[in-house]
Amino acid sequence: MSAGAGQLIAIVAVIIATGVAAQILADRFQLPSIIFLIAAGIALGPEGLGIVTRETFGLAGLSTIVGLSVAIIVFEGAFHLKIDELRQAPASSVRLVTIGAAIAFVATTGVVRVALGVEWLVAALIGALLVATGPTVIAPILEVVPVRDKVATALDTEGIVNDVTAAILAVVIFEAIVSDTTEPLELVALFAERLGVGVVVGVIVAAVVYYALRYVDLSPGNAPQNARLLVLAGALVAYGEANLVRTEAGIAAVAVAGILLGNADLPYEEQITDFKGDITLLVLSFVFISLAALLEFDNLIQLGLGGLVVVVAVMFVIRPALVMLSTVGGSFQRNERVFMSLVGPRGIIPASVATLFAVELANNGMTTAANALVGTVFLVIMATVVLEGGFARQIAEKLDVIPMRVLIIGGGKVGRTLADRLEDRGENVVVIENDEEVVQVARNEGHAVHIGDGTDTDVLQSAGAENARIVVAATGDDDANLLVAQLAESKFSPETILARANNPNNVEAFEELGVTTVSSVLATAQAIDNYIERPALANWMGEIGDSGDVIETEITSEEMVGVTIRDLGPKLPGGSLIALVDRDGETQVPDADFTLQLGDRVTLIGDREGVQEARRQFNPE
C-alpha cells in the first residue's frame, strides 16, 4: 500500500534534501555525487531506515516518477552532445564510442549470460546499460585529475555519446523482453519502429520549441524564465507523447529533441543549461532513492560469485580491451591509454534506466529478471565509482599522466612545431588560435586548440591560464606577443613566460619590460652556426625528444641532499649525466666535489629514457 498524502509529502521532502546534501558533499570532496546518493538511498531504503520501500509510491507511481526523471536525465545528456565537437574529435575518440561501445556491449552480454545464467535478452539488457559511463561521473574525476586535454575530451565524448546510445539500445532490448520477441527480423522491426516514432516526435517537439523561443514573444521581463520552462516542458512532452504512440519510444524522442535543441542557436542558452542542470540534480535524487527501494542485500548475495565475475570482467578485462583496441595508432601515450582503461565508472543512465525497467519488469511478474538487472547494475556502479572514481588521483599519479599545462598562443608553424615537441614529452599543451583555417590544421594534426584571441584575458582564462606553468606567445605579430606576455604576468603569474620576437630589433625592448624573448632570426642564425662549428652537438640537439633529451629539474628528494657529484655518478641511470647546476640564480658546471642541496636546479643530459629515470630520482613528484 502506498503512503498517505501527508507522509508522502514528508518523504519527498526528505528525498530532495538528501539529494541536495549529497551534491554539496560531492562538490566538497570532489567525488561523483552518485557515491553519496547511493549511500543515502541504502540508508533510507528497506536495508536501512525503511523510509522508502517498494510500497511508498506504489509500483505504478514509482514507474511514472522514474520515467519522467529518466526523460530529463537523457535530455540533459543529449543537449550537451555537440555535433561540431564530435566531428572535430580525434579518430580514436570516435572509435571509442563506436568500436569500443560495440566491444563493451557484446563482451558484457556474454559474461553476464555465462556468469549469472540469465536469459540472453536479459543479459543483453544489462550489457547495453553497462556500456554507458556518463559525464556526471567522469566530470568530477577530471576536476581532480587534470590530464591532457586529449584524454579529457575522449572520456567526456565517450560519456556523453554512450549515455544516449546505451539508453536507446536498452529500450529496444527491454521491449523485446516484455513482448517476448526473439526473431532477428522482429527485433530489427521493433528497433526501427521505436526509433522511428522517437525521431518523429523528437523532431516535431524540437521544431515547436525552437520556433517558440525564436519567434514568439515570451514576455521580455520574464523571457529567460519562460525559455527555461518551455524547454523543460518540451522534454516531458516528447517523452510522454512518444510513449503514448509506442511504448518505450519516449527515451529516443527526448534524446532526439535534446540533440537538435542543443545544436541549435537558442536564445538564453546559458540560462537554459544552468536550469536543466539544477533540475537534473533534483530528479537524480528520486532515481537513486528509487534504486535503493528496489535493492535488497539478499538479491546481491544471490548473485554470488557470478556477480563478482561480472564486476571483475567489466573493470579489468573488457574496459582495458576496448580502450586499447580503440586507441591503437592514436596520439595517446601508453600510460594515458592505461589510465583510460582503469577509469570508466558507470553512473546515471545505467542506474536510472535500470530502475525504470526493473519496476516495469516487476509489474509484469518478471521478478527474477528485475532482481538480476538491479543487482548487477548496482554492483558494477558501486565498484567502478568507488574504486575508479575514488582512486583516480592515485592511479593517475602512479601512471604519471598529470602533465604540466602549457599554453601556446599562435597556431602557426612555429606554435604547432613547438606543440609537437612538448607533447612528445608528455606535456599538456593547449594552442590558442582565432584563425579558423589554422585551427582546423592544428586539430587535424592532433593538437588541443582553444579558439579565441590570445590577447583577451577571458580567452586566456578559459583556456586554463590559471593552471598553466608555461605561457608561450608565438604569433607572427610582435605587438600581440608582447601584450600576451604582459597579460600572463600580471593576471596569472605562471612559472615561465616566453615571447617570440619576429623582428630582432624588438628583443631589447621586450627584455627591458621583463619578458624573456626568443628571436626567430637570431635562433635560426645560431642553429646554422652550430652546424658549422659544432656539427656533432648540433646533430645531437636535433634528436632531442627522440633518442636524446635535456631536462632541467629541481631537487626535492631528501636522499639527494649532501651528495657529491663524485658519489652520485655511479648511481645515475646509464646514458645520463649532470651538465649544469643552478643555485640561487648562479649556473655552473659542477666538479666532482660539488655537493647538492635542496632546491638546486640540475640540468640532465643523455638518452631519453635515462634522463627521465634520473629526473624521478631528483624530483619524485
Side-chain angles (χ1 to χ4, degrees):
M1 181 180 295
S2 60
Q7 184 181 1
L8 194 59
I9 292 173
I11 291 173
V12 170
V14 169
I15 291 175
I16 293 176
T18 301
V20 172
Q23 185 59 42
I24 293 173
L25 288 173
D27 290 339
R28 172 66 180 81
F29 294 103
Q30 289 189 304
L31 291 171
S33 59
I34 190 173
I35 295 177
F36 301 98
L37 286 169
I38 291 182
I42 294 174
L44 295 175
E47 299 294 343
L49 299 175
I51 295 175
V52 181
T53 66
R54 293 173 183 264
E55 291 75 27
T56 300
F57 300 101
L59 288 180
L62 183 59
S63 179
T64 301
I65 292 173
V66 174
L68 293 174
S69 299
V70 170
I72 294 173
I73 293 168
V74 173
F75 183 85
E76 166 81 3
F79 193 85
H80 286 92
L81 182 58
K82 305 300 182 183
I83 301 301
D84 286 341
E85 293 180 5
L86 188 59
R87 287 173 180 168
Q88 296 165 358
S92 50
S93 297
V94 177
R95 291 197 298 268
L96 201 59
V97 300
T98 52
I99 297 173
I103 293 172
F105 170 60
V106 173
T108 305
T109 298
V111 170
V112 171
R113 164 66 178 174
V114 173
L116 301 180
V118 297
E119 296 180 1
W120 273 111
L121 282 177
V122 175
L125 177 60
I126 296 172
L129 290 175
L130 293 181
V131 167
T133 51
T136 51
V137 285
I138 291 295
I141 293 175
L142 296 179
E143 289 177 2
V144 179
V145 186
V147 293
R148 283 205 301 167
D149 284 19
K150 289 181 182 178
V151 178
T153 300
L155 291 174
D156 272 336
T157 302
E158 180 191 23
I160 294 172
V161 174
N162 285 355
D163 254 9
V164 176
T165 54
I168 294 175
L169 178 60
V171 164
V172 175
I173 297 173
F174 172 78
E175 190 62 26
I177 292 174
V178 296
S179 64
D180 197 23
T181 301
T182 57
E183 292 295 327
L185 290 179
E186 292 181 5
L187 288 173
V188 171
L190 197 66
F191 174 80
E193 187 179 35
R194 265 59 185 180
L195 183 60
V197 169
V199 168
V200 171
V201 174
V203 168
I204 293 173
V205 170
V208 171
V209 171
Y210 178 80
Y211 180 85
L213 290 173
R214 273 288 176 189
Y215 304 109
V216 175
D217 184 3
L218 297 179
S219 179
N222 294 316
Q225 179 186 49
N226 292 335
R228 295 194 297 264
L229 295 174
L230 182 61
V231 171
L232 175 62
L236 297 178
V237 168
Y239 179 78
E241 296 307 309
N243 271 354
L244 185 63
V245 177
R246 282 292 182 272
T247 57
E248 309 308 334
I251 291 180
V254 294
V256 171
I259 292 172
L260 293 176
L261 291 173
N263 286 275
D265 185 17
L266 297 180
Y268 316 109
E269 183 171 352
E270 185 176 347
Q271 294 95 325
I272 291 171
T273 300
D274 292 341
F275 176 69
K276 289 192 299 79
D278 292 339
I279 294 296
T280 300
L281 291 178
L282 291 179
V283 299
L284 285 178
S285 302
F286 283 99
V287 169
F288 286 105
I289 301 304
S290 301
L291 175 62
L294 292 173
L295 183 68
E296 297 179 2
F297 288 165
D298 287 344
N299 294 334
L300 296 181
I301 295 173
Q302 288 175 6
L303 294 176
L305 183 61
L308 296 178
V309 169
V310 173
V311 170
V312 171
V314 167
M315 291 179 63
F316 301 114
V317 179
I318 298 173
R319 175 68 183 178
L322 73 88
V323 169
M324 290 300 177
L325 289 173
S326 300
T327 57
V328 65
S331 58
F332 298 108
Q333 298 175 4
R334 184 186 61 82
N335 56 345
E336 290 173 338
R337 297 170 70 196
V338 175
F339 173 76
M340 294 167 64
S341 298
L342 298 176
V343 178
R346 274 61 173 178
I348 302 306
I349 289 299
S352 57
V353 179
T355 303
L356 173 63
F357 289 166
V359 171
E360 297 189 19
L361 288 173
N363 288 341
N364 283 276
M366 305 174 70
T367 306
T368 302
N371 291 340
L373 173 62
V374 172
T376 307
V377 170
F378 177 82
L379 274 178
V380 173
I381 288 175
M382 285 300 297
T384 56
V385 170
V386 172
L387 296 179
E388 297 178 351
F391 293 97
R393 179 79 187 193
Q394 290 78 1
I395 295 172
E397 291 174 347
K398 184 69 175 177
L399 294 172
D400 192 23
V401 296
I402 306 178
M404 57 185 282
R405 178 173 285 255
V406 179
L407 293 187
I408 298 177
I409 293 80
K413 291 182 179 179
V414 173
R416 299 200 307 273
T417 303
L418 177 60
D420 282 333
R421 297 177 71 87
L422 294 174
E423 288 173 348
D424 285 343
R425 294 209 300 267
E427 311 294 4
N428 184 18
V429 180
V430 177
V431 178
I432 300 177
E433 177 58 59
N434 60 356
D435 186 302
E436 292 185 3
E437 291 184 5
V438 178
V439 168
Q440 193 60 46
V441 171
R443 282 180 169 164
N444 289 341
E445 292 179 1
H447 301 300
V449 183
H450 186 89
I451 303 176
D453 184 353
T455 62
D456 187 325
T457 304
D458 291 337
V459 171
L460 291 174
Q461 184 171 14
S462 62
E466 291 181 341
N467 299 319
R469 287 179 55 196
I470 298 175
V471 174
V472 181
T475 74
D477 184 337
D478 284 359
D479 291 337
N481 291 340
L482 179 59
L483 180 55
V484 167
Q486 291 176 325
L487 283 175
E489 175 63 32
S490 62
K491 300 294 185 181
F492 305 106
S493 300
E495 291 182 11
T496 303
I497 302 173
L498 298 172
R500 168 190 174 188
N502 300 279
N503 185 343
N505 296 329
N506 291 334
V507 174
E508 185 176 352
F510 277 30
E511 292 181 341
E512 286 178 355
L513 294 171
V515 177
T516 303
T517 309
V518 177
S519 168
S520 301
V521 174
L522 295 178
T524 302
Q526 185 177 17
I528 294 173
D529 183 43
N530 282 336
Y531 274 103
I532 294 172
E533 294 293 330
R534 294 164 286 275
L537 177 62
N539 286 326
W540 186 85
M541 291 290 290
E543 295 297 318
I544 287 180
D546 294 326
S547 59
D549 214 343
V550 178
I551 291 178
E552 182 178 321
T553 188
E554 181 181 352
I555 296 178
T556 61
S557 173
E558 297 284 352
E559 297 180 0
M560 293 295 170
V561 177
V563 179
T564 65
I565 299 298
R566 177 183 288 106
D567 294 335
L568 181 61
K571 300 178 182 178
L572 287 175
S576 65
L577 56 86
I578 298 177
L580 298 171
V581 178
D582 179 272
R583 178 178 295 170
D584 299 328
E586 295 184 6
T587 303
Q588 58 184 299
V589 178
D591 59 24
D593 295 322
F594 186 91
T595 303
L596 298 175
Q597 295 181 4
L598 203 66
D600 285 349
R601 297 192 66 85
V602 298
T603 299
L604 301 165
I605 186 172
D607 68 64
R608 184 175 184 179
E609 293 184 0
V611 167
Q612 293 286 355
E613 185 178 345
R615 177 173 65 171
R616 287 189 285 270
Q617 290 182 351
F618 290 102
N619 192 330
E621 299 176 2

